[in-house]
Amino acid sequence: MSISERHEIILNKLKETGKVNVQELSDELSVSEVTIRKDLRLLEDKNLLFRTHGGATLSNPYTSDRPVSEKAKVQAQEKEAIAKEAVKLIGDKDSIILASGTTVSALAREVYSQNNLTVITSSLDVSLTLSGRENIDITQLGGQLRPSSNSVVGPYAEDFLNNITCGILFLGVDGVDLEYGLTTTNLMEASLNQKFIEIAQYTVVLADHTKFGKRGFGRICTIDSIQHIITDSGTSQSIIQELEKKGIRVTVADLL
């Protein structure tokens, strides 16, 4: 088989499924994985695909940092539905971490408490949302302000967490890749999120369907570092099944 024939097969598979896998292509085309990787590199140079870890996709898998005001308008219904599912996990007298992100901010709008609830957050939006509500004690982390997310990052925030343990972490992300893991667009934010995961007993990721198959600049953790993902009905069943095979609980929120 010629190189042009291989490239035609690869591009046709991409059009059919949206992504290809190096190992599967190697087996199907009876060539080495090294050869397939070279093929993918050549096709990427021609702007015909985007290479990913272990394969390639037809759409750009990399996310860019956008202002929080812009992000809040995207998939707003999905985020609200996810938030209404997430709030069911919070009990009175719990201690929780609400990280940054517009889906986490949507969750904050749903949080009320009859008894004392302790909230630790890096998000200014979350603190402002919860500040007037009874029976909620808020610890706002300090540090370097990220205007694009209205949240803080940096060593000051991380050092504060050294003597803290917490029940549930609710984490927003910019990308969920089943092989590469969870990512965000900012390295310092990724580092703080790693610290959150370290001190939390249970980590819940809030991610609408557009986050799957995407990658941000900063890697937070591998998929097996979390326990639970709440998403919406736009997420494909194959992705949900793969997550469940890895032992991750998946909750699918119905759109309102």
Side-chain angles (χ1 to χ4, degrees):
M1 184 181 297
S2 69
I3 185 171
S4 60
E5 288 174 328
R6 285 202 310 274
H7 287 184
E8 184 178 358
I9 290 172
I10 291 170
L11 292 174
N12 285 336
K13 288 184 74 67
L14 270 174
K15 290 177 183 177
E16 291 172 6
T17 64
K19 62 180 181 179
V20 290
N21 178 274
V22 169
Q23 184 177 346
E24 291 175 358
L25 287 172
S26 173
D27 293 340
E28 181 178 340
L29 302 178
S30 301
V31 294
S32 70
E33 292 186 13
V34 172
T35 297
I36 294 298
R37 289 192 180 95
K38 289 180 180 178
D39 287 339
L40 297 180
R41 190 181 306 114
L42 288 170
L43 291 169
E44 185 177 51
D45 290 341
K46 296 178 182 178
N47 297 317
L48 295 173
L49 55 74
F50 295 92
R51 283 187 297 156
T52 64
H53 181 72
T57 65
L58 203 54
S59 59
N60 190 344
Y62 299 100
T63 61
S64 58
D65 199 10
R66 293 178 294 171
V68 66
S69 58
E70 182 181 328
K71 289 182 179 180
K73 298 174 184 177
V74 180
Q75 270 70 52
Q77 281 188 308
E78 288 86 346
K79 291 171 182 177
E80 184 179 355
I82 290 168
K84 289 185 180 297
E85 285 294 331
V87 78
K88 297 175 184 178
L89 300 175
I90 302 173
D92 288 336
K93 299 184 180 180
D94 270 353
S95 59
I96 66 172
I97 300 171
L98 297 181
S100 62
T102 52
T103 313
V104 175
S105 293
L107 170 57
R109 293 193 289 272
E110 302 293 330
V111 174
Y112 293 87
S113 181
Q114 296 299 317
N115 294 300
N116 288 339
L117 174 68
T118 299
V119 177
I120 300 167
T121 186
S122 57
S123 169
L124 301 184
D125 291 338
V126 166
S127 289
L128 289 172
T129 297
L130 297 178
S131 62
R133 298 183 183 175
E134 295 182 356
N135 304 315
I136 300 179
D137 295 325
I138 306 163
T139 297
Q140 169 65 60
L141 297 179
Q144 180 180 336
L145 178 65
R146 287 192 65 222
S148 64
S149 64
N150 286 346
S151 65
V152 298
V153 293
Y156 187 86
E158 293 180 32
D159 289 346
F160 182 85
L161 299 172
N162 284 332
N163 298 312
I164 292 175
T165 185
C166 212
I168 306 176
L169 161 64
F170 292 95
L171 182 66
V173 297
D174 290 312
V176 181
D177 186 297
L178 298 187
E179 294 183 8
Y180 189 71
L182 309 178
T183 55
T184 183
T185 55
N186 183 271
L187 281 176
M188 294 180 73
E189 186 173 76
S191 179
L192 180 59
N193 287 339
Q194 290 166 7
K195 190 69 177 181
F196 284 153
I197 292 171
E198 180 184 322
I199 69 170
Q201 297 174 30
Y202 191 77
T203 297
V204 183
V205 172
L206 310 181
D208 68 72
H209 67 276
T210 65
K211 303 297 178 64
F212 290 89
K214 299 289 186 180
R215 291 189 193 181
F217 181 66
R219 188 184 192 189
I220 301 169
C221 65
T222 58
I223 285 290
D224 57 10
S225 298
I226 65 171
Q227 288 77 46
H228 193 165
I229 288 181
I230 302 179
T231 187
D232 62 83
S233 54
T235 301
S236 73
Q237 196 61 38
S238 62
I239 289 175
I240 293 171
Q241 290 172 354
E242 284 297 316
L243 289 167
E244 290 176 338
K245 284 180 184 177
K246 294 177 182 292
I248 297 168
R249 178 183 174 190
V250 180
T251 299
V252 178
D254 292 325
L255 295 187
L256 306 178

